Amino acid sequence: MKKVIVLSVLLLCATIAKAQDTEKNEIRIGYSDATFIKLGDGFADAFSTAIASGISGVKYKDAKNKTVGMFELGYRYAINERLKVGADISYLKSEDTFQTKTPNARSVTRNTNYIMGLVTGEFSYIRTPLLNFYGSGGLGVLSGSTKEKGGSYSSNEVGFAYQINPVGLRVGKKFGGFIELGYGYKGIATAGLNYKF
């Protein structure tokens, strides 16, 4: 009887250890600076304001922009020890306020909501139980919807989006934190938390 109990306990411990080794799923939440979108919006707003001023004769002061950053939710599946695939969904809200330079000065506010979906891949360069140095990349679409408060302007656009992060670091076992540096629609830096199961 003791042999059966000892064998059962050893088998259970081996099963738990194996399950911990094969944590294939990972969910993550993160925040990025969205530098690429912010710069693109700045140039686009300056260009559209110049055209609107030229056509209507109304002069606008420089726009004031309020953008917090991009929030993301993601999933990764480990194909093997070094390669993961998954998807990210990101959201960004931007608010631009223009002040007219006319005798009847009024302000115009435009709100833009961005939703981005990327199919991603991740490759680990160096991996230990606690640290993971990796690179990642993603391709997908970016949808932007702009509406003007108190005005008639509105716009809906869908375009190509990408993100390349050659430098990534994850610290932790099941629950951890990560930081990624790269270039694309998420921006230069992304940081967040993730959980493996």
Side-chain angles (χ1 to χ4, degrees):
M1 184 68 172
K2 287 183 180 179
K3 289 181 181 180
V4 172
I5 292 173
V6 170
L7 187 60
S8 298
V9 170
L10 288 174
L11 185 61
L12 179 63
C13 290
T15 304
I16 291 170
K18 182 67 177 165
Q20 289 176 348
D21 288 344
T22 58
E23 295 166 340
K24 292 193 170 275
N25 300 292
E26 180 183 314
I27 55 172
R28 52 191 264 152
I29 57 170
Y31 171 83
S32 58
D33 55 27
T35 303
F36 191 85
I37 294 174
K38 288 180 190 177
L39 289 175
D41 275 355
F43 289 127
D45 288 338
F47 186 67
S48 65
T49 301
I51 290 174
S53 294
I55 293 171
S56 67
V58 177
K59 303 296 180 193
Y60 293 93
K61 293 181 182 177
D62 292 332
K64 292 180 183 175
N65 180 278
K66 290 182 189 174
T67 304
V68 176
M70 184 173 273
F71 297 93
E72 72 174 58
L73 179 63
Y75 171 78
R76 300 286 185 275
Y77 177 78
I79 293 175
N80 58 40
E81 194 173 297
R82 295 203 179 266
L83 186 63
K84 293 180 183 178
V85 294
D88 294 330
I89 295 175
S90 304
Y91 173 77
L92 171 71
K93 181 176 182 177
S94 178
E95 182 180 288
D96 295 298
T97 303
F98 306 87
Q99 184 74 37
T100 60
K101 291 184 182 177
T102 57
N104 299 329
R106 67 182 186 94
S107 64
V108 176
T109 301
R110 290 182 185 164
N111 289 321
T112 306
N113 293 299
Y114 293 99
I115 296 176
M116 181 171 64
L118 297 176
V119 176
T120 60
E122 183 178 302
F123 180 78
S124 295
Y125 306 127
I126 300 169
R127 189 169 180 218
T128 68
L130 191 60
L131 297 174
N132 182 17
F133 291 96
Y134 62 91
S136 65
L139 297 172
V141 295
L142 176 69
S143 172
S145 175
T146 303
K147 290 188 179 176
E148 188 174 274
K149 286 183 184 176
S152 59
Y153 179 81
S154 67
S155 171
N156 292 307
E157 298 176 6
V158 176
F160 172 76
Y162 67 91
Q163 182 69 33
I164 299 168
N165 295 322
V167 178
L169 172 63
R170 181 188 189 275
V171 179
K173 291 188 178 180
K174 285 181 79 72
F175 182 75
F178 68 90
I179 186 164
E180 299 171 346
L181 301 174
Y183 181 77
Y185 283 77
K186 287 184 186 180
I188 296 169
T190 303
L193 301 171
N194 55 6
Y195 178 72
K196 293 180 178 180
F197 60 98

